[in-house]
Amino acid sequence: MDNIWCFGDSFTAGHGCTPEFEYYQKYKKDGDKLWCEYLGNILKMNVINKGINGGSNDMIIDSILDSFNKINADDIVIIEKTFNYRYDIPNLKENNKWVSAHDIIYHKEQYNDEQYQTIINFSYHFANHNLYEDRQNKRIDFISNILQKSNIKVFIWDIKTDMQFYDRIKNSTNGEINDGHLSFSGHYQFYQWIYQKLIKIL
């Protein structure tokens, strides 16, 4: 069976809608799925979800490269571009691992005051510069072009422009759970949108 590879951040990983989260535990109904799982069902393909909660575009690119040799002709690759201001710093407690600066508040104990303030200052003054977005886009487009030359269908979507109109967990629970990620209803809505985009390239 051919594969659908889904690379992205928490909106691909399904933050909130997987078993470790309160929303899943309280609100999941039979038949509820993540958007990539709906795609797998309708296209009769195996889904490999490589979404990373809190992931940066660099993490997403690394994930694609780590999987590159496992992606086969006739597979589908869906790449989400996340916010360009996210960047990574070394995890000082675990060698060879990154921490997203986006989540630095959860790892503050790893860094001394000077290190922590350096991260905050860089985030504030530089991380959102459009040069970073241009660099990330070039890398993702380059990978996409290589994959397509191997008869692999690629679809790229952008968190900033393509994730504005779908139901969120906070809305779905009437504010009980303060989470801005997709609800199960939002996953179905987004699946409908992305499926219509996909069938144009299949």
Side-chain angles (χ1 to χ4, degrees), residues 14-19 21 23-24 28 34 169 182-184 187:
H15 187 284
C17 293
T18 51
F21 292 101
Y23 173 68
Y24 177 99
K28 185 182 185 300
L34 306 183
I169 291 172
L182 293 175
S183 66
F184 285 115
H187 275 278

Side-chain angles (χ1 to χ4, degrees), residues 36-188:
C36 48
E37 295 169 338
Y38 285 115
L39 286 176
N41 282 359
I42 196 168
L43 295 173
K44 295 181 171 53
M45 299 178 74
N46 180 54
V47 174
I48 302 175
N49 188 337
K50 305 295 284 187
I52 305 166
N53 288 325
S56 65
N57 280 321
D58 285 330
M59 283 185 179
I60 293 167
I61 291 167
D62 285 348
S63 182
I64 299 170
L65 295 177
D66 289 342
S67 301
F68 195 86
N69 291 330
K70 299 176 185 177
I71 303 173
N72 299 313
D74 298 321
D75 282 355
I76 296 173
V77 172
I78 299 175
I79 303 171
E80 173 201 351
K81 293 192 291 188
T82 190
F83 302 103
N84 61 284
Y85 58 76
R86 291 185 178 178
Y87 66 97
D88 311 319
I89 54 177
N91 186 324
L92 300 184
K93 286 192 172 180
E94 298 183 55
N95 290 334
N96 302 317
K97 287 193 175 183
W98 294 102
V99 171
S100 173
H102 172 71
D103 291 331
I104 190 62
I105 190 172
Y106 304 114
H107 304 276
K108 186 175 180 181
E109 74 284 352
Q110 294 190 32
Y111 307 95
N112 63 38
D113 289 342
E114 182 181 4
Q115 291 169 333
Y116 184 77
Q117 196 57 51
T118 298
I119 295 164
I120 297 301
N121 287 338
F122 184 86
S123 298
Y124 181 80
H125 291 290
F126 300 109
N128 203 34
H129 197 285
N130 60 7
L131 284 173
Y132 288 105
E133 184 172 20
D134 292 343
R135 173 183 282 175
Q136 293 158 9
N137 286 340
K138 286 178 182 177
R139 293 171 176 175
I140 291 172
D141 289 344
F142 180 78
I143 291 170
S144 173
N145 289 334
I146 292 175
L147 290 170
Q148 290 181 73
K149 288 178 181 178
S150 298
N151 200 34
I152 296 163
K153 302 295 184 183
V154 180
F155 181 76
I156 300 171
W157 64 278
D158 193 320
I159 187 74
K160 298 186 296 298
T161 56
D162 299 325
M163 188 50 72
Q164 299 177 7
F165 307 109
Y166 307 104
D167 190 54
R168 308 302 175 99
I169 291 172
K170 183 176 181 179
N171 178 69
S172 181
T173 62
N174 295 314
E176 176 192 349
I177 300 174
N178 187 18
D179 190 327
H181 291 88
L182 293 175
S183 66
F184 285 115
S185 175
H187 275 278
Y188 183 74

